[in-house]
Amino acid sequence: MGRLNKYWTLLEDVLTGIFFISGLGLIFYGVILRYVFKTPKPWVEEISMYCVLWGILFGLSIALRNNQHISIDLFYDKLSPTIKRVVDIIANFVGVVFCVCLVYYSAVLVVSTHKTGMVSMTVGIPMWLVYLILPLSGFFFLIRFIERFIKNMRKAGTYDSSSI
Amino acid sequence: MILLLFSIFFVMLILRIPIGISLAVSSSIVLVLSGFNLSMFPQKMFTAMESFPLLAIPGFVTAGVILARGGLTKYLINALEAWLGHLPGGLAIVTVLTCTIFAAISGSSPATAAAVGSIMIPAMVNNGYDKKYAMGLVAASGTLGMLIPPSIVLIMFGIIAEISIGKLFIAGVIPGIFLSGVLLASAIFYARKNNYKSMKKASWEEKKKHTFKAVWGMLLPIIIMGSIYTGIATPTESSIIAVVYGIIVSAFVYKELKFRDTRTILVESINVTSMIFLIIGGASLLSLFLTNEQIPVALGEWLGTINLNKWGFFILTGILFLILGVFLESVSIILITLPILLPMVYYFGIDPFHFAIVMTINLEIGMITPPVGLNLFVVSGITREKVEDVVKGVFPFIILLILALILVIIFPSISLWLTEFMK
């Protein structure tokens, strides 16, 4: 389990890193083109935007892994350990349901966009390809929620409650 | 219907479900009940994130992470200490000024408090400062990160209100310096009253050495604001310039950044960015619901029937932000309230740039008001002290910031004067 988790973590980081870093890099390339070589390329802006967005959406599961999605501890902190566990189970169950819906309905979106053949405004990338990140990131997000859900079912308090 | 929406939302918040998901799920439920099809929501959420100006958020977050890791903060503190450490309250002055300069590079308050606090709180305590005071000062000065441009809150405001983010940044400059000045004055006053000992005067040699080292970091705010003010770069572009400059300085001049740090920086930056973007996606469904129910229009009509003037509006929104600030963090508050408040801002003839600054200072105060002030938790996390103790230290600063806020409300020109010169 530990080993699998390590590789999965690496996969999340690599996927996020590739898109996030190359996206930011492309924006910088765009700046250089515009101000140094005076030859702005409109495609740079669009491609870099989608790259960074792909990185950010893959990153949803990273932020969940590190307990970085802001939630409210105000009431939670006052609960007894047993109720805390129940709350954790419900919360992660809602997360699982949310992700399942996200994966399903965005897959529907990808298929329907593929049929209509919609393309992006400047470059003409097929939009179904762009939207593909939604089910993909939803899947990675789902895995992390399932992981937490299983941990909750086994025993309480396996991940710490810091949310900052 | 709207009552149902908010009940579901609050139940989900109590269950400690992430705010972004709470927003998305509660809005989806009421939208489906009013006849929308679930299948259009993923696209709606994606469209809300699909904006080039929004990319200034990952940009400035990354710049802040690099700065905190790459030694720029440390050298900045050394240089300021060499120049100002011997004054009464020297370390407190250095704390406020470092926060001000760090705020001019990073876009968020917790980042500012964390970066400066981890160095300055121990330093102040070692020099005999009251620990509660030191924690309060860092928590309060850290909030400057939100107001002094670049600012994530102002980026969100500009996108929602469809006004220039660059001009919003410029509007934040003078109020930011003003607040920083208020904190400085209080630091000097407090240190004199308590006779805190100051550090020994640094020699010219030391001053010169530390200044040369820090000058690279000090150039960054000038590059960022200069490029935006002159219109050379958009905020998104200038955030990337800041990232690249930060990498070059930390890796090649300070040599504190190694290639293997890439992964840590990436993860730290993505943690914050993804959290914010999830909230943006979730809030887009809420705003779809609000527009569909014509809530802003209804509120506007209701406003016409009661006797409320501009000042009453400022007071009401101030109280609203304070209450919401108890539960939510700033990006969620902006995303939830601004679409509703914006028509009223125009109705009362308030300049949107002025309102943006007032709202930001309100949210700043929310960062240090218990029970859910993010900066309080950051400082308590650094010092391993109880949040209650940080609260005791921060209390006088809350009053100071409220007084400053009142002045900014009464005199719009504090916010608007600089923007008039912008191209």
Side-chain angles (χ1 to χ4, degrees):
Chain A
M1 244 342 242
R3 195 161 210 188
L4 186 67
N5 200 341
K6 205 179 140 198
Y7 286 126
W8 189 256
T9 303
L10 184 67
L11 179 66
E12 283 173 336
D13 289 1
V14 167
L15 281 173
T16 305
I18 289 174
F19 288 104
F20 193 71
I21 295 172
S22 61
L24 293 185
L26 259 180
I27 300 178
F28 188 67
Y29 176 66
V31 174
I32 302 270
L33 278 184
R34 176 127 58 113
Y35 301 110
V36 181
F37 298 108
K38 313 271 181 220
T39 49
K41 298 251 191 320
W43 64 265
V44 173
E45 196 164 294
E46 196 175 88
I47 305 266
S48 60
M49 179 175 78
Y50 288 133
C51 270
V52 177
L53 259 182
W54 271 59
I56 292 173
L57 289 171
F58 271 127
L60 286 176
S61 62
I62 298 184
L64 183 65
R65 179 181 93 201
N66 297 328
N67 284 315
Q68 295 285 328
H69 283 294
I70 291 205
S71 54
I72 289 161
D73 294 340
L74 184 60
F75 311 100
Y76 182 85
D77 287 342
K78 303 213 162 46
L79 303 174
S80 71
T82 335
I83 303 184
K84 268 187 188 164
R85 191 178 162 199
V86 176
V87 167
D88 281 338
I89 291 175
I90 299 175
N92 286 316
F93 182 71
V94 172
V96 169
V97 173
F98 170 78
C99 290
V100 170
C101 289
L102 181 64
V103 171
Y104 177 76
Y105 286 104
S106 50
V108 171
L109 173 71
V110 170
V111 172
S112 69
T113 324
H114 184 63
K115 273 187 198 135
T116 57
M118 194 166 75
V119 294
S120 70
M121 261 188 295
T122 323
V123 192
I125 322 165
M127 280 314 276
W128 69 267
L129 206 63
V130 173
Y131 288 148
L132 201 57
I133 185 60
L134 288 166
L136 279 176
S137 72
F139 175 73
F140 276 84
F141 210 18
L142 176 65
I143 297 292
R144 285 290 172 192
F145 267 117
I146 291 176
E147 183 203 7
R148 291 161 76 101
F149 186 70
I150 292 172
K151 274 187 185 166
N152 286 153
M153 291 305 256
R154 279 195 189 143
K155 61 175 196 275
T158 35
Y159 57 86
D160 71 303
S161 59
S162 69
S163 65
I164 301 160
Chain B
M1 202 62 122
I2 190 149
L3 214 65
L4 177 68
L5 169 75
F6 282 107
S7 347
I8 301 174
F9 180 55
F10 277 108
V11 170
M12 293 184 75
L13 288 186
I14 291 171
L15 288 175
R16 223 171 61 126
I17 293 165
I19 293 174
I21 296 183
S22 303
L23 277 170
V25 173
S26 56
S27 312
S28 302
I29 293 174
V30 286
L31 279 168
V32 168
L33 288 178
S34 24
F36 279 83
N37 193 328
L38 262 177
S39 60
M40 68 176 288
F41 297 162
Q43 189 177 18
K44 181 81 199 162
M45 288 169 78
F46 190 84
T47 314
M49 304 175 196
E50 194 187 4
S51 130
F52 193 72
L54 260 188
L55 298 189
I57 294 179
F60 284 122
V61 168
T62 311
V65 173
I66 292 172
L67 232 69
R69 292 203 133 252
L72 274 80
T73 322
K74 197 171 68 193
Y75 295 125
L76 191 62
I77 290 174
N78 287 345
L80 287 170
E81 262 175 16
W83 285 97
L84 302 164
H86 65 281
L87 297 174
L91 283 176
I93 298 174
V94 172
T95 304
V96 177
L97 282 181
T98 317
C99 281
T100 308
I101 296 173
F102 193 88
I105 303 165
S106 132
S108 90
S109 293
T112 309
V116 180
S118 52
I119 305 177
M120 288 312 291
I121 295 177
M124 281 193 275
V125 173
N126 287 341
N127 275 273
Y129 282 64
D130 177 36
K131 191 163 190 185
K132 287 194 187 97
Y133 169 79
M135 294 192 294
L137 181 70
V138 167
S141 314
T143 65
L144 290 172
M146 203 184 246
L147 178 63
I148 296 179
S151 147
I152 292 174
V153 167
L154 290 176
I155 294 169
M156 291 309 309
F157 193 105
I159 287 171
I160 298 169
E162 293 174 355
I163 56 180
S164 153
I165 296 170
K167 205 169 155 188
L168 277 170
F169 279 5
I170 301 301
V173 171
I174 294 184
I177 294 173
F178 170 59
L179 254 63
S180 158
V182 169
L183 291 172
L184 272 181
S186 81
I188 296 172
F189 176 78
Y190 186 86
R192 273 183 194 255
K193 205 180 86 185
N194 287 284
N195 268 326
Y196 283 146
K197 65 174 190 265
S198 24
M199 303 167 74
K200 71 174 192 342
K201 208 169 170 148
S203 69
W204 274 106
E205 276 307 303
E206 283 173 286
K207 280 182 190 169
K208 218 164 81 185
K209 192 183 93 198
H210 289 304
T211 309
F212 272 116
K213 195 108 199 196
V215 79
W216 298 103
M218 300 227 222
L219 277 176
L220 195 46
I222 300 171
I223 296 173
I224 294 175
M225 285 320 287
S227 62
I228 296 174
Y229 194 73
T230 52
I232 291 176
T234 64
T236 305
E237 290 169 339
S238 99
S239 76
I240 304 301
I241 296 173
V243 169
V244 174
Y245 180 87
I247 292 175
I248 293 174
V249 170
S250 327
F252 301 112
V253 183
Y254 293 153
K255 301 193 169 59
E256 301 235 349
L257 205 64
K258 300 277 177 303
F259 185 73
R260 62 166 183 275
D261 294 327
T262 313
R263 190 169 172 190
T264 332
I265 290 175
L266 170 76
V267 169
E268 265 183 52
S269 154
I270 213 77
N271 277 339
V272 179
T273 313
S274 293
M275 180 269 291
I276 294 176
F277 273 68
L278 182 63
I279 295 174
I280 294 173
S284 70
L285 298 184
L286 174 71
S287 77
L288 175 67
F289 171 77
L290 292 177
T291 339
N292 185 52
E293 298 273 305
Q294 303 206 307
I295 304 283
V297 180
L299 264 173
E301 279 169 3
W302 171 76
L303 215 60
T305 63
I306 59 163
N307 243 338
L308 189 71
N309 63 13
K310 186 162 119 174
W311 308 114
F313 176 71
F314 274 122
I315 294 169
L316 269 185
T317 48
I319 296 170
L320 175 76
F321 294 142
L322 202 65
I323 296 172
L324 287 176
V326 170
F327 304 98
L328 302 171
E329 49 59 74
S330 42
V331 173
S332 325
I333 297 180
I334 280 224
L335 282 161
I336 294 170
T337 60
L338 193 57
I340 304 176
L341 293 178
L342 203 60
M344 302 189 206
V345 171
Y346 287 111
Y347 173 86
F348 286 116
I350 300 165
D351 191 301
F353 292 95
H354 178 215
F355 186 71
I357 301 306
V358 171
M359 183 166 184
T360 309
I361 300 178
N362 265 307
L363 295 174
E364 261 191 87
I365 297 171
M367 299 294 283
I368 50 171
T369 39
V372 190
L374 214 46
N375 274 17
L376 301 176
F377 289 99
V378 170
V379 170
S380 122
I382 300 171
T383 55
R384 310 254 161 239
E385 294 283 335
K386 283 207 277 310
V387 177
E388 287 80 6
D389 289 334
V390 187
V391 171
K392 278 178 206 145
V394 90
F395 186 72
F397 295 106
I398 297 180
I399 301 195
L400 264 182
L401 288 182
I402 290 177
L403 291 177
L405 170 66
I406 293 172
L407 287 178
V408 173
I409 292 177
I410 297 175
F411 301 106
S413 54
I414 298 177
S415 325
L416 299 176
W417 183 71
L418 253 189
T419 61
E420 283 162 20
F421 299 96
M422 208 182 158
K423 281 177 259 180

